[in-house]
């Protein structure tokens, strides 16, 4: 897991190029809450394009049939003292944080604690792992937060070699992202 350092390159995959992220356009119930999400893996950002395009078509932001997306590249330039929380591993704390942000009132104390941070860094739940997390939150593995359910869910996730995600949650954090370039990526049919 990379720390938040000057010069770090981060990537954002979307249906459109994003030069200046805006928090008011960010969805709420994501892994680490409302924020602008990036990854240090360009490959991971590209893999997110289909999902982003499908959501944009469903919400009528773009017309059906768009078969390209954009990878917006940003360089971190720390200008502010940011409160940063890093989840080094996909462990119980990480799992409870994701559940807290995805399902309202599930772990309210964790959601409140995490609200103090400008940036949260941790493993990403991608399409391959989303089903497992959704089942956990729905109680398919037992009571959410119980040792048995937590351990079973984490065992299901660990073989997936989870990539990282960086959630920039405040305006101060966004000021530390410098847009480098946007690459148009055509989806394979």
């Amino acid at each position: 897991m990379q720390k938040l350092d000057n010069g770090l390159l981060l990537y954002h995959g979307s249906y459109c190029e994003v030069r200046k992220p805006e928090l008011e356009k960010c969805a709420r119930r994501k892994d680490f809450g409302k924020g602008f999400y990036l990854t240090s893996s360009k490959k991971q950002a590209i893999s997110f394009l289909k999902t982003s395009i499908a959501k944009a078509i469903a919400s009528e932001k773009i017309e059906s049939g768009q078969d390209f997306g954009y990878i917006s590249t940003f360089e971190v330039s720390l200008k502010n003292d940011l409160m940063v929380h890093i989840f080094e591993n996909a462990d119980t704390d990480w799992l409870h944080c994701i559940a807290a942000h995805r399902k309202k009132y599930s772990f309210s104390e964790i959601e409140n604690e995490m609200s103090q941070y400008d940036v949260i860094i941790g493993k990403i739940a991608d399409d391959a792992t989303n089903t497992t997390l959704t089942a956990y939150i729905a109680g398919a593995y037992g009571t959410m937060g119980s040792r048995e359910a937590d351990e079973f869910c984490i065992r299901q996730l660990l073989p997936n070699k989870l990539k990282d995600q960086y959630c920039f949650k405040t305006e101060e954090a966004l000021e530390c992202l410098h847009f480098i370039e946007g690459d148009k990526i055509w989806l394979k049919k």
Side-chain angles (χ1 to χ4, degrees), residues 77-89:
S77 177
L78 297 172
K79 301 173 186 170
N80 306 315
D81 277 340
L82 300 177
M83 292 281 295
V84 179
H85 185 84
I86 300 174
F87 289 99
E88 293 287 345
N89 299 301

Side-chain angles (χ1 to χ4, degrees), residues 98-117:
I98 290 175
H101 288 101
R102 287 192 177 192
K103 184 177 181 186
K104 201 171 187 176
Y105 309 121
S106 59
F107 293 97
S108 297
E109 67 284 353
I110 294 172
E111 188 172 6
N112 289 337
E113 178 190 340
M114 291 293 118
S115 69
Q116 71 180 313
Y117 294 103

Side-chain angles (χ1 to χ4, degrees), residues 60-175:
E60 299 181 345
K61 290 180 183 173
I62 59 174
E63 291 189 25
S64 180
Q66 180 171 319
D67 58 354
F68 60 88
Y70 292 87
I71 300 300
S72 300
T73 303
F74 293 86
E75 182 177 4
V76 174
S77 177
L78 297 172
K79 301 173 186 170
N80 306 315
D81 277 340
L82 300 177
M83 292 281 295
V84 179
H85 185 84
I86 300 174
F87 289 99
E88 293 287 345
N89 299 301
D91 57 15
T92 303
D93 291 337
W94 169 86
L95 179 62
H96 291 179
C97 179
I98 290 175
H101 288 101
R102 287 192 177 192
K103 184 177 181 186
K104 201 171 187 176
Y105 309 121
S106 59
F107 293 97
S108 297
E109 67 284 353
I110 294 172
E111 188 172 6
N112 289 337
E113 178 190 340
M114 291 293 118
S115 69
Q116 71 180 313
Y117 294 103
D118 298 297
V119 180
I120 300 176
I121 304 168
K123 300 295 184 183
I124 189 169
D126 60 15
D127 289 344
T129 59
N130 198 38
T131 304
T132 303
L133 288 166
T134 301
Y136 169 78
I137 291 168
Y141 308 139
T143 303
M144 187 171 47
S146 70
R147 194 184 66 165
E148 296 80 18
D150 291 352
E151 289 176 358
F152 183 83
C153 183
I154 291 169
R155 276 196 312 272
Q156 303 309 305
L157 294 172
L158 290 180
N160 290 297
K161 295 185 174 71
L162 305 172
K163 303 289 188 227
D164 60 25
Q165 62 184 340
Y166 292 69
C167 177
F168 286 69
K169 300 175 67 67
T170 64
E171 292 298 333
E172 292 78 17
L174 291 179
E175 289 173 12

